[in-house]
Amino acid sequence: MFKIDLRLIVLYLQVCLAIGALRAEEAYSRQQDGFEVLGTRNEFWAIEVVPSLGGKVISLQDQISRREWLWSRLEDRSLKKDPRFGFGNLMGADELLPNLKPETLQGHALPDHGEVWSSSVDWDADLLESSGVLKTYLDLKVLPLRYSREISLDGAMVRIRFIVENLSEKKIPFLWAWHPIFTVKAGDKMYLDTVPPEFLVVGHPGLGQVSIGDVITWPGLEAGVDLSQLSFPEIPKAGIKVYSDSPADGRILLSNTFTGAALTVEYDLGFLPYLSLWLSRGVWGNAHHLILEPTNRASEYLSDETEKLKSSGWLLRRERREWEIRLTNHSVRTSAEPASGDNFIH
């Protein structure tokens, strides 16, 4: 006769309870300022998105160093909707699709910074509940494109998978760029293991040493900026935006020498061969922040003639393209208190 081992049953029930508790802790939803906020978290990360704000990532919290990596113009991180880019929720991380600068292309009026950020996106409630994956999706109106994104936690890594699909029978130009606004605090540094040879200046508020179209080299001291130190050494209020080829390993490290907070950003070079950097101190949102924009185009305009022969900036008929950005937590615990304004999900 089959003999039941009670110890195995007890162990099995304990594992089931542990898995159930883990799942309940990982995925959640809450209300803030009239918006539904979706979240997932583990021992390394807590990340939140708002579907009705284009799936904006409003929070990327490091559970080890207790740092909120994503900047917000408002100290209370309150949420609101505004049809003008930069006037509503100047915070967090968006995606720019299918364009950056507003223009008219093939009879289509393309809005400022694209369509996604100002749209309400659908989301997969079952997937969030069952596996803690934040999946959002949208069919664009200005161009026949289908767009989806999945955010999942894999230990110390946040995996963000993006899919864009051409629903038409025609070849379509498109621009995609990640647009995370990272906080910059005292002691922050940026490292590139493989530094691109040159950076093209496309914006330089407050910097008189350079002009649009100039080429500078890392870390940009000739322009009055030190990108490695995320600072403007002799200018109290300034900003700069540059384009370059992506680092050859597709990897950028941000770290803080005082708090031990550190993360790497890694992405797929085959789909995102270019990188734009925007560093600002006081000239946008009256704050110090950094935007890292891996992108498929080295121009802010879809109509740019120099982009016509580059396959990365076009979708063929019915083409489906998929890529990933990975954020890895490298923080170490220190006794330092988080800087003012940092938040932590308990």
Side-chain angles (χ1 to χ4, degrees):
M1 190 172 186
F2 181 70
K3 184 177 180 180
I4 298 176
D5 191 330
L6 292 179
R7 291 173 300 176
L8 290 177
I9 294 177
V10 171
L11 179 61
Y12 172 76
L13 291 174
Q14 289 175 334
V15 171
C16 288
L17 287 172
I19 292 174
L22 179 62
R23 284 181 177 171
E25 183 181 344
E26 281 188 339
Y28 61 93
S29 65
R30 63 181 181 87
Q31 294 292 317
Q32 179 182 331
D33 304 319
F35 295 91
E36 183 166 26
V37 178
L38 309 177
T40 185
R41 59 189 169 193
N42 64 10
E43 61 183 305
F44 298 98
W45 291 112
I47 187 166
E48 295 186 331
V49 306
V50 181
S52 59
L53 295 176
K56 177 192 288 289
V57 180
I58 62 168
S59 179
L60 177 67
Q61 296 188 344
D62 180 341
Q63 303 283 58
I64 296 177
S65 71
R66 301 182 58 173
R67 173 167 175 164
E68 171 58 70
W69 279 99
L70 295 180
W71 178 82
S72 172
R73 175 173 55 188
L74 302 176
E75 232 178 272
D76 63 0
R77 306 187 74 84
S78 57
L79 305 175
K80 63 179 181 177
K81 196 161 190 171
D82 193 297
R84 302 165 298 171
F85 188 87
F87 287 85
N89 293 280
L90 190 57
M91 67 183 300
D94 297 291
E95 293 107 55
L96 311 185
L97 179 76
N99 63 295
L100 196 163
K101 293 292 188 181
E103 59 182 318
T104 299
L105 185 71
Q106 299 175 0
H108 299 281
L110 305 181
D112 186 20
H113 283 71
E115 180 181 341
V116 175
W117 69 270
S118 63
S119 303
S120 289
V121 300
D122 294 315
W123 58 283
D124 192 324
D126 292 337
L127 188 61
L128 178 61
E129 183 178 356
S130 64
S131 59
V133 176
L134 294 162
K135 180 178 181 179
T136 55
Y137 48 95
L138 169 74
D139 282 358
L140 273 64
K141 297 176 181 178
V142 295
L143 289 178
L145 300 176
R146 177 166 293 162
Y147 182 62
S148 66
R149 183 194 69 196
E150 293 182 9
I151 300 176
S152 60
L153 299 179
D154 183 7
M157 182 181 293
V158 179
R159 293 184 177 274
I160 314 177
R161 186 165 69 103
F162 307 93
I163 301 173
V164 62
E165 183 179 358
N166 182 358
L167 301 178
S168 78
E169 300 297 327
K170 297 181 179 180
K171 180 181 176 182
I172 294 179
F174 82 107
L175 177 147
W176 183 93
W178 196 37
H179 195 270
I181 312 177
F182 288 106
T183 58
V184 176
K185 299 180 179 295
D188 280 351
K189 300 180 186 301
M190 177 165 57
Y191 300 91
L192 304 179
D193 289 335
T194 55
V195 178
E198 57 185 38
F199 296 80
L200 177 68
V201 177
V202 296
H204 56 97
L207 296 177
Q209 301 96 312
V210 288
S211 301
I212 292 176
D214 285 354
V215 171
I216 62 174
T217 57
W218 182 268
L221 296 177
E222 69 269 37
V225 62
D226 188 340
L227 293 170
S228 66
Q229 303 294 315
L230 299 175
S231 70
F232 300 91
E234 299 178 359
I235 305 171
K237 191 173 183 179
I240 190 169
K241 182 174 183 179
V242 295
Y243 273 94
S244 71
D245 290 338
S246 287
D249 58 358
R251 187 174 184 271
I252 303 162
L253 169 65
L254 301 177
S255 69
N256 187 282
T257 56
F258 302 136
T259 66
L263 69 80
T264 53
V265 177
E266 297 177 90
Y267 58 94
D268 300 334
L269 297 177
F271 299 105
L272 305 172
Y274 307 106
L275 175 67
S276 172
L277 298 174
W278 162 256
L279 178 64
S280 167
R281 186 171 65 197
V283 296
W284 187 48
N286 196 32
H288 200 172
H289 54 233
L290 168 72
I291 300 178
L292 298 176
E293 293 187 39
T295 181
N296 67 319
R297 281 181 169 244
S299 172
E300 297 181 330
Y301 291 93
L302 283 188
S303 57
D304 192 326
E305 293 292 322
T306 63
E307 297 289 323
K308 282 194 171 181
L309 299 178
K310 299 177 182 178
S311 61
S312 64
W314 296 77
L315 284 169
L316 302 179
R317 58 181 294 274
R318 300 290 174 180
E319 182 182 358
R320 181 180 185 272
R321 198 172 294 182
E322 178 180 335
W323 63 93
E324 190 176 77
I325 289 178
R326 298 169 292 279
L327 310 175
T328 303
N329 190 328
H330 297 282
S331 296
V332 294
R333 297 186 189 278
T334 71
S335 59
E337 291 295 318
S340 173
D342 277 355
N343 298 313
F344 180 60
I345 294 179
H346 296 279

